[in-house]
Amino acid sequence: MKNYIYIILSLTISLSAFGQKNLTVNYSVETSGDFFQKEENDLDDLDKKINEGIKNHISDFKFTLKINETESLFESVKTMSNDHNSFGYKITQSVIQSKKKFYANINTRESLTETESYGQKFIIVDTLRTSKDWVIGNETKKIGDYQCIKATTKKTVINTEGEFITDIVVWFAPEISFSFGPLGYGGLPGLILELQDDIFVYKVNELNYVENLKIKKPNSGKKVTKKEFLEIGLKAIENRF
């Protein structure tokens, strides 16, 4: 058997056919609307600049999800761009979380996010979602040749303006029996092939089945809980004013 088997989504080949226990999944990201969704007259020059910058640079970013029997790691991959130092590139890099690494372990239910924020490196420790944290609906659609099911969960964001709860919408493929997905989300009975987080949509491009895959657990940064990290962020914002 070759060291790896390359599979385009258009081929209907399941994991079980190969007996493989490792997988890499490539995702692209796009927008479903403007970052600042206001009436044109309500947008200031900076809002317009940010919206335009994201539209121009969103296609510069790609991500990969590495999976073995029990772990996954989601991170950005380097792409060719001649504009890495532009305002538009940097703001897009920030809002789509391309500098972060997302680790998950289905055995320990551990979820780790490695990030550099407020001039310091952190590892945010959380608990991986389970199927109980999702609302699995009856809607289905085809992504490539995989029949996918829609599921939703909630995300809480806290900033100086208060606490906000938004929906995370995903489409997962029960045929691909890995409980992982982009941005550290998982816990569903199948691989997440598409995820919408606010206005950003992460879509699968290709699957690569591999025989051997080692995943490096993030270990660079101060370990904090999700609540502690939010408190650090709020304090940093308050100190600016």
Side-chain angles (χ1 to χ4, degrees):
M1 183 180 288
K2 293 181 180 180
N3 288 335
Y4 77 92
I5 300 169
Y6 176 73
I7 296 180
I8 301 293
L9 279 178
S10 60
L11 301 180
T12 54
I13 304 175
S14 68
L15 270 175
S16 59
F18 296 103
Q20 299 287 354
K21 297 181 180 179
N22 306 287
L23 178 66
T24 62
V25 189
N26 295 330
Y27 295 85
S28 60
V29 59
E30 58 189 53
T31 62
S32 60
D34 288 332
F35 186 73
F36 289 108
Q37 298 179 340
K38 305 175 184 177
E39 295 294 331
E40 183 68 22
N41 293 337
D42 294 330
L43 292 170
D44 60 28
D45 289 342
L46 180 58
D47 293 341
K48 293 177 182 178
K49 189 176 180 181
I50 290 173
N51 282 345
E52 191 65 24
I54 292 172
K55 285 180 183 178
N56 290 339
H57 290 279
I58 194 72
S59 62
D60 291 337
F61 295 88
K62 307 294 179 185
F63 294 84
T64 185
L65 176 66
K66 300 175 183 177
I67 302 170
N68 62 27
E69 279 190 270
T70 59
E71 303 168 289
S72 74
L73 183 68
F74 183 78
E75 60 185 339
S76 65
V77 295
K78 290 183 179 179
T79 57
M80 296 297 292
S81 174
N82 297 322
D83 217 5
H84 284 179
N85 293 319
S86 72
F87 172 82
Y89 185 93
K90 289 184 176 180
I91 197 68
T92 307
Q93 186 179 53
S94 175
V95 296
I96 65 170
Q97 308 183 71
S98 73
K99 287 189 173 183
K100 295 182 180 180
K101 293 182 180 181
F102 300 85
Y103 169 88
N105 187 309
I106 57 172
N107 280 354
T108 63
R109 310 308 306 172
E110 185 178 33
S111 173
L112 303 176
T113 303
E114 182 180 283
T115 183
E116 186 170 353
S117 303
Y118 319 116
Q120 188 176 351
K121 289 185 177 180
F122 295 95
I123 294 179
I124 305 168
V125 182
D126 202 358
T127 303
L128 185 66
R129 284 172 168 78
T130 68
S131 58
K132 295 179 181 178
D133 299 307
W134 293 91
V135 177
I136 301 175
N138 296 320
E139 284 187 68
T140 63
K141 74 173 180 178
K142 279 282 190 77
I143 298 178
D145 281 330
Y146 293 102
Q147 190 71 13
C148 296
I149 302 172
K150 183 180 180 180
T152 59
T153 191
K154 300 291 184 182
K155 179 182 77 170
T156 302
V157 176
I158 300 175
N159 56 36
T160 53
E161 296 182 1
E163 181 176 309
F164 303 91
I165 299 176
T166 61
D167 286 333
I168 299 293
V169 180
V170 305
W171 296 88
F172 69 94
E175 182 182 354
I176 308 174
S177 55
F178 284 116
S179 298
F180 298 113
L183 302 177
Y185 287 96
L188 287 161
L191 179 69
I192 297 172
L193 298 187
E194 183 175 310
L195 180 148
Q196 180 165 352
D197 178 12
D198 297 323
I199 67 161
F200 298 106
V201 185
Y202 299 79
K203 293 185 174 183
V204 68
N205 283 334
E206 61 187 30
L207 309 175
N208 296 281
Y209 297 89
V210 298
E211 291 186 356
N212 298 295
L213 181 63
K214 291 184 179 181
I215 292 176
K216 185 178 179 181
K217 187 175 179 179
N219 60 7
S220 178
K222 177 183 178 181
K223 284 192 174 183
V224 294
T225 65
K226 189 175 181 180
K227 182 180 178 181
E228 289 170 339
F229 182 74
L230 289 170
E231 290 172 349
I232 291 168
L234 287 174
K235 187 175 181 180
I237 293 171
E238 291 169 357
N239 287 340
R240 292 178 183 175
F241 299 98

